[in-house]
Amino acid sequence: MILRDSKFSIAWYGTASLQIKTNQGIVWIDPFVPLQGSSVHISKETFLTGKVILLTHGHMDHICSVPWIEDNKRMQIFCSKTPAKNLEKMGVDRKLITEIKPGDNFPVQGLQVQVLHGRHIKFDKTLVKKTLWNKRMIQYADNLPYIMYHHLNCPENGETVGYQVTYQKKTIVILGSLGLMYGIDYPSRIDLLVLPYQGNSDLLHPALQIVKTIQPKAILLDHFDDTFPPISDTVDTEEFVHVLRHFYPTIPVHRLQYGEEYDIL
């Protein structure tokens, strides 16, 4: 039964930072405070709402703002083994961290969450060369010590997960990176798929393969913006939108403004 006054929405706050909101509360996915020079202009205090954080993997841009958030407001954190260990090293209270793995299923803030197998997209040589041999490395040099330190100390370690989130018979799937594991049955015909569109010179083909596998009713793109320059950059999503419109004309693609909500229910 769906209550007439029920709320189930998702909002994007730059990079992979997502806020899920229901009548029961707020849940954050991969909250990250943008670095200096970012295209994202959001107050870091924005992330001090809610009581729960879900992390998809342990890379810098997915976990490194969590210690600051925890210093200002204690929240319950769900993540895999490696980010759990690194967050503890960063000073996060271990009692607040719950380790999760694919197949786990648990309730938070009125939501039912299932942990899915994920696979991180590979950074190819073309992208790495384009990123490193760029004048932006000089322009945003002040960010490099922070980025390099946390890049070396925050490995993904093959632990990327996704989340299937259900509320009042509506289901969304949030991927931590643009990849799926082979030989795994994924949910299909869901109400919304969140695709992180970043990390390789060829994003179109893996994205289309994921859409073919999951066949969602709608798509929300995230992670395509310039949140931690000079390593990040804004990705052109127009080709994906155009090609998807041709092959899957009934599946709309949403690109939200920062902080804009998309209502699922």
Side-chain angles (χ1 to χ4, degrees):
M1 179 179 178
I2 298 178
L3 302 178
R4 294 181 64 183
D5 61 346
S6 292
K7 180 178 182 61
F8 183 24
S9 67
I10 187 167
W12 179 51
Y13 285 87
T15 191
S17 302
L18 300 164
Q19 183 198 78
I20 299 176
K21 184 183 294 184
T22 71
N23 294 96
Q24 280 71 41
I26 290 173
V27 173
W28 285 99
I29 313 288
D30 295 343
F32 182 73
V33 177
L35 299 188
Q36 183 178 359
S38 168
S39 61
V40 186
H41 302 289
I42 291 174
S43 169
K44 60 185 180 182
E45 282 75 23
T46 301
F47 298 108
L48 301 181
T49 56
K51 297 180 180 179
V52 177
I53 295 173
L54 306 179
L55 301 177
T56 62
H57 61 281
H59 276 158
M60 172 206 80
D61 52 317
H62 295 256
I63 74 167
C64 280
S65 292
V66 174
W68 178 86
I69 293 171
E70 290 296 326
D71 280 344
N72 290 273
K73 182 176 181 180
R74 291 165 68 88
M75 298 189 194
Q76 188 178 12
I77 304 165
F78 293 83
C79 61
S80 61
K81 184 177 181 179
T82 297
K85 181 179 179 181
N86 285 330
L87 287 173
E88 188 175 6
K89 288 181 180 178
M90 294 177 189
V92 176
D93 187 347
R94 189 64 179 81
K95 296 176 183 177
L96 299 173
I97 303 173
T98 300
E99 285 190 23
I100 52 95
K101 62 184 184 303
D104 287 352
N105 202 310
F106 52 89
V108 289
Q109 300 294 288
L111 303 166
Q112 193 62 37
V113 178
Q114 182 174 343
V115 185
L116 305 175
H117 288 273
R119 182 171 62 87
H120 202 282
I121 195 168
K122 292 183 179 180
F123 304 124
D124 63 302
K125 293 180 180 179
T126 301
L127 179 64
V128 172
K129 183 178 179 180
K130 178 183 176 182
T131 301
L132 296 180
W133 295 99
N134 193 307
K135 64 181 181 180
R136 285 162 48 89
M137 296 295 284
I138 298 174
Q139 183 180 1
Y140 299 109
D142 289 348
N143 289 341
L144 288 174
Y146 176 94
I147 291 172
M148 296 309 297
Y149 175 81
H150 287 294
H151 174 72
L152 293 173
N153 289 281
C154 299
E156 182 264 344
N157 210 23
E159 296 179 13
T160 295
V161 300
Y163 293 103
Q164 176 181 313
V165 180
T166 302
Y167 181 76
Q168 297 284 8
K169 298 184 180 180
K170 294 287 186 176
T171 299
I172 64 176
V173 165
I174 299 166
L175 297 183
S177 186
L178 198 63
L180 299 178
M181 292 289 287
Y182 301 110
I184 299 293
D185 289 328
Y186 286 93
S188 61
R189 309 290 181 179
I190 58 170
D191 295 285
L192 181 69
L193 170 65
V194 180
L195 273 181
Y197 206 71
Q198 183 81 258
N200 193 279
S201 296
D202 177 18
L203 297 169
L204 178 62
H205 291 91
L208 290 176
Q209 184 58 51
I210 292 172
V211 173
K212 180 180 178 181
T213 299
I214 297 182
Q215 298 188 33
K217 296 178 183 177
I219 293 171
L220 172 63
L221 294 179
D222 74 344
H223 217 332
F224 59 86
D225 58 336
D226 188 13
T227 312
F228 46 101
I231 303 302
S232 63
D233 202 354
T234 302
V235 176
D236 186 357
T237 60
E238 289 298 332
E239 182 183 19
F240 172 73
V241 174
H242 176 76
V243 173
L244 195 80
R245 189 179 295 127
H246 175 74
F247 287 104
Y248 301 95
T250 62
I251 302 178
V253 179
H254 301 282
R255 291 168 290 185
L256 303 180
Q257 298 297 314
Y258 302 126
E260 180 184 359
E261 288 190 9
Y262 173 85
D263 290 321
I264 303 154
L265 182 65

